[in-house]
Amino acid sequence: MSSSSVIDFVSSSPIINDETSNQSIEIPVPPTLNVTHISINNNNNKNNNPSNNSDDDSDSNDEALPMNITLDWIDEQMRAGVDLRPILSRMLPGLPNDVSQSSLFELLMDLFLPVQQRQPLEQYKTLDDAVELIRKCKNILILTGAGISVSCGIPDFRSRNGIYARLREEFPELPNPQSMFDIEYFTHDPRPFFRFAKEIWPGQYEPSLAHYFIAELERRKQLLRNYTQNIDSLEHLCPIKRLIQCHGSFSTSTCRHCHNRVNSDEIKNEILQQIIPHCTKCSKTINNAILKPDIVFFGEPLPDDFHKTISIDKDKCDLLIVMGSSLKVKPVSLVSELLPAHIPQILINRERLLHKSFDIELLGNCDIIINELCHRLAKYEPSFGHIKRLNHRNDKFMNEILYDKIRTSMQQQKKKKQKISFHTTNDITLPKERLSSLRPRLFKPPIITSSTTSSSSSSSRKRPFSSLKNSPLFNQDLSYISYPPRRYLFAGAEIYFSSSSDDGSDDDLPRKLSNK
């Protein structure tokens, strides 16, 4: 997807101050969007069945969608509260009537803003290349997610014991855990969200090494912008100033009824005591007068500054680093596609993102990877060796172990176990009756569970990365594994290793998440 097809701006004259220079920069304004003609069509169809496919209806709505749908156009429709159900019903006959507005907009993005994977750049593949890029690039764009805050004690969302898993247990009536961030469900039942808000409320946690690393890049005037999907506000404690909080923050809260805005410190005690905060300016008889923290829910538009800054940054960026994010939530997940194809991209994350293509993949716990990068950068730029929360480890670089070497070691261990098992089960000193009684246990086929049926037929020959922690060859505190041409595996990587001689292809290595 080209950047011009996603964001298509026209010339205008609003001004914003760019902190990287002493000059003001003109910010293009999104093109004027024809919202009214869609609203008129919706009004004309209020008394009609949305799924009516008559010729008259089709003809009357031929111009309902613009020729070139952009990310800004979709966001503008969200802001205007446009109901796209009648339009999408004609495009997708049989669309259920109970689909939420947020799902409709997500569907619209999937239809008209499909993700096209870029091709990895051949000149950037190695860990040394990553160090050199971070060292020399002057306009680094960093996109961060929940993974950079896990080491701070904040639970992530999608892991086995993450926030979504626990909310599913506490609120089984939730259609799915993400519904707590759906504005329609919040109106119906705000309890799951405020249960989550208590866990993540600002003031309970300290920034991670990854946060301080970003702050150091900003201090060195290398940070173009930090686009964060996080709402924990830990960036402010570093502090990071060149920041776009894509999904808002807990800093302020707004009444759903009268739109009165307050500082969130005013409702902190209620949140921590698990009392749903009610607007003091509204009557207590108004059920909807809830003070909702100003974070972006599904079904709500992104902050204005996201579109304004990305329109500049996409052409100015010389390196993208995605850190601790699954890039599953649009439109922020589209940032990697907004950039020109020649801009290098680095992933620092526990798992691979199979729907994206990065030049260098550093897989594992973010802080462990950043720690190693800082040690290597400090060889050239000493300030990276003094970042807060850096683990010095005698200032030695971690040992690199080739995947082929680890794989050979795993195969040898497997053969030894098979040999031992063979001698044990064929001991001629055991009476025949005893062997007969053992046979059902020894040769009982494995039970296939739902988790194994979804994996490939070779899943029984795979081991989680965490299983290598006791390997005599690999020490996860002192080593990392290189998997050519462009992948590196550190402690915390959520992948499976193949341990068979016929299952070692590049695609098979990181296919399934571990339960570490």
Side-chain angles (χ1 to χ4, degrees):
M1 178 189 305
S2 65
S3 59
S4 60
S5 67
V6 179
I7 294 188
D8 185 17
F9 292 100
V10 296
S11 300
S12 188
S13 57
I15 303 296
I16 188 172
N17 185 56
D18 184 1
E19 298 175 24
T20 60
S21 67
N22 295 323
Q23 299 178 350
S24 295
I25 293 178
E26 289 192 0
I27 300 250
V29 171
T32 301
L33 301 174
N34 193 350
V35 178
T36 55
H37 76 280
I38 292 183
S39 299
I40 290 172
N41 286 334
N42 288 342
N43 291 335
N44 290 339
N45 286 281
K46 280 183 179 179
N47 297 322
N48 297 333
N49 187 333
S51 61
N52 190 335
N53 291 319
S54 67
D55 294 337
D56 292 340
D57 281 342
S58 298
D59 294 339
S60 65
N61 284 279
D62 283 344
E63 300 299 321
L65 291 173
M67 293 298 293
N68 296 315
I69 291 183
T70 65
L71 184 61
D72 286 328
W73 184 89
I74 293 175
D75 195 63
E76 186 71 16
Q77 309 313 301
M78 280 182 126
R79 294 177 190 279
V82 174
D83 183 9
L84 296 179
R85 194 182 314 272
I87 299 171
L88 287 173
S89 293
R90 292 183 180 88
M91 298 171 60
L92 301 170
L95 184 69
N97 292 327
D98 59 351
V99 178
S100 67
Q101 282 297 314
S102 60
S103 297
L104 291 176
F105 280 101
E106 182 79 14
L107 180 59
L108 192 67
M109 285 189 280
D110 287 337
L111 288 173
F112 291 97
L113 302 177
V115 173
Q116 297 180 2
Q117 287 195 351
R118 64 190 284 273
Q119 292 299 315
L121 303 174
E122 289 302 314
Q123 63 268 40
Y124 305 115
K125 294 182 179 181
T126 69
L127 182 59
D128 289 336
D129 291 336
V131 171
E132 194 69 6
L133 284 168
I134 296 171
R135 177 191 170 202
K136 292 187 175 181
C137 289
K138 301 299 182 184
N139 290 289
I140 302 175
L141 191 155
I142 300 182
L143 198 160
T144 53
I148 72 166
S149 297
V150 173
S151 64
C152 307
I154 298 177
D156 65 358
F157 287 88
R158 294 179 172 85
S159 69
R160 186 182 185 184
N161 298 314
I163 292 171
Y164 285 161
R166 285 185 283 113
L167 282 175
R168 188 181 291 109
E169 294 182 1
E170 293 184 38
F171 299 96
E173 64 274 16
L174 271 174
N176 62 72
Q178 294 185 22
S179 296
M180 73 164 176
F181 289 122
D182 189 294
I183 194 62
E184 293 182 10
Y185 192 87
F186 179 88
T187 302
H188 166 70
D189 184 1
R191 294 176 305 143
F193 169 75
F194 283 109
R195 173 66 182 86
F196 153 77
K198 177 183 178 181
E199 289 195 36
I200 201 173
W201 198 261
Q204 305 178 78
Y205 305 97
E206 293 293 328
S208 67
L209 173 59
H211 289 100
Y212 286 115
F213 169 73
I214 299 171
E216 174 62 17
L217 289 176
E218 181 178 59
R219 191 193 68 79
R220 296 177 55 82
K221 302 187 184 304
Q222 291 182 263
L223 180 69
L224 173 61
R225 206 84 58 190
N226 177 198
Y227 289 80
T228 182
Q229 296 172 284
N230 297 339
I231 54 178
D232 51 37
S233 300
L234 291 175
E235 295 85 3
H236 297 295
L237 302 181
C238 295
I240 300 170
K241 296 180 180 178
R242 297 188 62 78
L243 177 71
I244 298 297
Q245 292 177 293
C246 303
H247 295 158
S249 73
F250 283 106
S251 300
T252 57
S253 297
T254 302
C255 174
R256 302 281 327 280
H257 178 72
C258 71
H259 306 294
N260 173 46
R261 177 169 291 182
V262 301
N263 188 304
S264 288
D265 286 341
E266 297 182 26
I267 64 172
K268 177 179 178 180
N269 290 335
E270 291 173 277
I271 297 297
L272 297 182
Q273 294 174 21
Q274 288 294 272
I275 300 172
I276 297 177
H278 193 279
C279 179
T280 56
K281 290 190 175 183
C282 294
S283 169
K284 292 189 177 298
T285 60
I286 302 176
N287 294 329
N288 195 39
I290 296 173
L291 289 167
K292 178 183 103 43
D294 293 329
I295 65 172
V296 179
F297 276 46
F298 298 117
E300 293 184 311
L302 265 63
D304 290 334
D305 56 0
F306 171 79
H307 293 295
K308 289 180 179 179
T309 54
I310 196 62
S311 68
I312 298 175
D313 294 347
K314 68 184 178 65
D315 296 320
K316 198 172 182 180
C317 168
D318 56 8
L319 172 63
L320 171 68
I321 301 177
V322 174
M323 196 184 305
S325 173
S326 62
L327 291 187
K328 290 183 178 178
V329 180
K330 293 180 180 178
V332 178
S333 64
L334 296 175
V335 168
S336 60
E337 277 74 41
L338 294 178
L339 304 180
H342 69 274
I343 301 300
Q345 299 189 14
I346 299 173
L347 174 67
I348 301 175
N349 200 43
R350 282 189 172 183
E351 59 181 301
R352 292 185 70 203
L353 307 185
L354 299 180
H355 60 299
K356 302 285 183 178
S357 294
F358 293 91
D359 303 304
I360 305 168
E361 297 180 357
L362 308 178
L363 306 180
N365 293 331
C366 289
D367 280 2
I368 291 176
I369 296 169
I370 293 297
N371 201 85
E372 181 65 13
L373 290 174
C374 286
H375 280 299
R376 292 172 181 262
L377 287 164
K379 178 180 177 181
Y380 308 99
E381 309 292 345
S383 63
F384 283 104
H386 304 292
I387 296 179
K388 191 173 181 180
R389 298 194 68 171
L390 187 69
N391 180 1
H392 288 279
R393 282 195 326 256
N394 298 321
D395 293 327
K396 292 182 178 179
F397 296 170
M398 299 180 79
N399 299 319
E400 178 176 304
I401 301 176
L402 289 174
Y403 166 67
D404 284 344
K405 192 173 182 179
I406 281 281
R407 186 159 163 264
T408 300
S409 174
M410 293 168 66
Q411 292 169 1
Q412 291 173 347
Q413 291 177 12
K414 182 179 179 180
K415 290 178 180 178
K416 288 181 180 178
K417 290 182 178 179
Q418 289 176 339
K419 188 175 182 180
I420 293 173
S421 176
F422 176 81
H423 286 302
T424 301
T425 57
N426 290 278
D427 190 341
I428 59 173
T429 61
L430 290 174
K432 291 183 179 181
E433 295 80 5
R434 178 58 175 162
L435 284 173
S436 176
S437 64
L438 288 176
R439 189 169 293 117
R441 273 193 299 167
L442 291 173
F443 299 100
K444 186 177 181 181
I447 298 175
I448 299 177
T449 64
S450 58
S451 62
T452 59
T453 54
S454 61
S455 60
S456 66
S457 60
S458 61
S459 61
S460 61
R461 298 194 299 269
K462 294 184 179 181
R463 304 179 183 180
F465 183 79
S466 57
S467 68
L468 298 178
K469 63 184 179 181
N470 297 321
S471 169
L473 187 63
F474 176 74
N475 184 324
Q476 64 177 4
D477 296 323
L478 303 174
S479 310
Y480 64 87
I481 297 171
S482 63
Y483 189 85
R486 55 184 77 246
R487 196 171 307 145
Y488 295 84
L489 313 171
F490 295 77
E494 295 185 341
I495 62 169
Y496 265 54
F497 268 103
S498 170
S499 60
S500 68
S501 58
D502 60 347
D503 191 24
S505 67
D506 179 72
D507 291 335
D508 287 335
L509 173 62
R511 189 59 59 119
K512 182 179 178 182
L513 299 184
S514 71
N515 294 325
K516 183 179 177 182

